[in-house]
Amino acid sequence: MAIERIVIVGGGTAGWMAAAALSRLKRGHDVAITLIESEQIGTVGVGEATIPPFVDFNRMLEIDEAEMLAEVRGTFKLGIQFGNWGDVGESYIHPFGNYGYDMGGIAFHQVWRKRQQAGDKRPIQVFNLETMAAYFGKFARTEDYQRDDLPPMNYAYHIDATRYAQYLRKYAEARGVVRREGRVGDVTLRSEDGFVQSVTMDDGAVIEGDLFIDCSGFRGLLIEQALKTGYEDWTHYLPCDRAVALPCNRDDGSPPPPFTKATAHAAGWQWQVPLQNRNGNGHVYCSAYMEDDEAHDILVANMAGKPMADPNFLRFTTGRRKKFWNKNVVALGLAAGFMEPLESTSIHLINTGINKLIAVASMDGITQAQEDAFNRLTIKEYERIRDFLVLHYNATQRTDTDFWNHCRTMAVPDSLTEKMELFRLNGQIFREEDELFTETSWAAVMMGQGISMEGHNPMADTIGSPKVDAEFDEIEKSIRYLVQHMPSHPDYLAKYCPADMVA
């Protein structure tokens, strides 16, 4: 059956990202796209930090970056600062760009390790532009300096997720997407094959579709309640199952830093996402080790200002649907699964889900091959991200609470154990296929949390020392020069995308 009617159930970030991306189909196809949402059903709206592929998503939509950032009160993000993860009082940054560059086919961190053993005292952070700019509160885009001898700047955004959904709603509606206000009261399945035939609104209106996108959040209205797809629970790897979110003013007068903060506490961790006008804050925690009231008190005690709203308490089970595409339903966002926001992957998984859907889509109908490919690739993506998140909890020296003792000693996936053992041996990191996180990402977290390389790749010994000396010096000098000449992050925002420009 040809795809002539696409129905998106649920708005929020996931729904409107899907609507905006799929609206491009209307340029070349006679396809009706309807999005159903209810103003009475709140969105979670806590995902305010993104990663670099999100920049590409907005470019694909031909969105004006400065205009969008002004609308959503956005700031720039160069990485994530992790505090108290390896041990209490320790801190490191997981940057978006690479450490240096490969030398003779050898990863930079392995060559750096060899030089460290030979007496070079410089920390690896000085060889990464994003880390140094973050430390000094500086920012510039690559196109601002356009010099081949200087490293590129890799960045993402901090955004107000609710405002971003509103921005994309205007974008999608201007391109022919129709929004229907109301709740879905019932779902009708086709008797012959079990596909979703239609949804019935509370007011009795029936909306039929050929392809349905489930963006209904944790409820999984279509993917789970209607199709009984099933859920794979990963709580044994990622034990946090609660969060409390709370925006606040920046009463201390501090400028918004160009990075997200993730600070570990007694039984979880706290995020701080700086927007132009406020901070987004939240505390992710494990209910087996901490009560809601204590989690809320810890959050409020560690915020930069007074709360601007009532606390939003969330319950979740980390994991994924057993299928992301089932019959004629594709689940995106929280309807697909939940990976806690530790590495800002929530919006990214919406993005890649949309990308895969577009890649395998055919307006001629739905086939088993499409469903199988989509599920296989998405499962692999979720598992790789899961391993990276588990690494943060397991690679710790903390012994101060029962929660951290549990995390430090818990069983982890074999795929993660292998990665950690190879890194300890000689710093080797295998990035598998199109895995999201780079060698630098894995190395930054492992080294930042106390997993040290016992040796280095023996091929690093074949690289001549005088040449390497000069290259190391040049990398550090270029980064230092560039950071010194960058404007401060607040100054850049004020000139490029001030929130008041939308007025």
Side-chain angles (χ1 to χ4, degrees), residues 293-443:
D293 288 346
E294 183 183 2
H296 173 261
D297 292 346
I298 289 172
L299 176 62
V300 172
N302 290 278
M303 296 195 314
K306 296 183 183 70
M308 298 173 62
D310 293 329
N312 182 14
F313 285 92
L314 306 166
R315 296 184 173 207
F316 57 85
T317 301
T318 304
R320 62 167 180 84
R321 300 288 171 207
K322 291 183 177 177
K323 287 183 178 181
F324 302 92
W325 184 325
N326 190 358
K327 301 186 184 297
N328 64 336
V329 173
V330 177
L332 295 176
L334 298 176
F338 186 76
M339 305 290 274
E340 62 166 87
L342 183 58
E343 282 283 354
S344 309
T345 52
S346 298
I347 289 178
H348 174 75
L349 287 167
I350 299 168
N351 181 1
T352 57
I354 293 168
N355 290 347
K356 284 193 280 287
L357 172 60
I358 290 172
V360 302
S362 166
M363 303 311 288
D364 296 329
I366 293 170
T367 68
Q368 192 63 46
Q370 289 172 308
E371 180 182 324
D372 291 346
F374 188 94
N375 286 327
R376 176 174 54 81
L377 294 170
T378 309
I379 288 170
K380 186 177 293 185
E381 180 177 35
Y382 267 70
E383 288 176 345
R384 297 282 180 264
I385 292 174
R386 175 204 65 194
D387 285 3
F388 192 59
L389 298 184
V390 174
L391 170 67
H392 295 67
Y393 285 98
N394 184 241
T396 183
Q397 287 76 54
R398 289 187 62 161
T399 59
D400 56 306
T401 69
D402 290 341
F403 172 80
W404 289 107
N405 285 332
H406 166 76
C407 293
R408 194 185 68 256
T409 58
M410 68 182 177
V412 301
D414 291 342
S415 46
L416 175 58
T417 300
E418 178 186 277
K419 258 196 165 78
M420 294 165 74
E421 288 179 352
L422 285 173
F423 185 80
R424 281 193 184 96
L425 181 67
N426 70 352
Q428 181 58 49
I429 296 167
F430 287 108
R431 189 181 183 196
E432 301 182 29
E433 299 170 17
D434 57 350
E435 182 179 346
L436 170 61
F437 293 104
T438 64
E439 285 189 51
T440 288
S441 295
W442 284 94

Side-chain angles (χ1 to χ4, degrees), residues 20 49 63 86 185 194 220 241 248 272 396 400 442:
I63 283 173
D241 59 354
C248 76
Q272 177 184 292
T396 183
D400 56 306
W442 284 94

Side-chain angles (χ1 to χ4, degrees), residues 35 54 66 104 134 136 142 161 190 203 219 252 255 270 312 326 389 392 424 443 454 458 463 496-497:
L35 184 144
F54 184 68
F136 288 98
T142 307
R190 291 200 310 237
D203 64 2
R219 293 169 298 153
D252 59 3
Q270 175 178 338
N312 182 14
N326 190 358
L389 298 184
H392 295 67
R424 281 193 184 96
E454 295 170 5
I463 301 173
Y496 181 68
C497 56

Side-chain angles (χ1 to χ4, degrees), residues 45-63:
V46 298
E48 294 171 325
T50 65
I51 55 179
F54 184 68
V55 177
D56 296 330
F57 176 81
N58 286 276
R59 287 175 180 161
M60 175 191 76
L61 297 181
E62 299 176 342
I63 283 173

Side-chain angles (χ1 to χ4, degrees), residues 69-92:
L69 286 173
E71 286 266 5
V72 305
R73 310 298 191 257
T75 63
F76 290 97
K77 174 181 173 182
L78 300 174
I80 305 173
Q81 182 187 64
F82 289 94
N84 300 335
W85 284 83
D87 213 339
V88 177
E90 294 181 353
S91 173
Y92 70 93

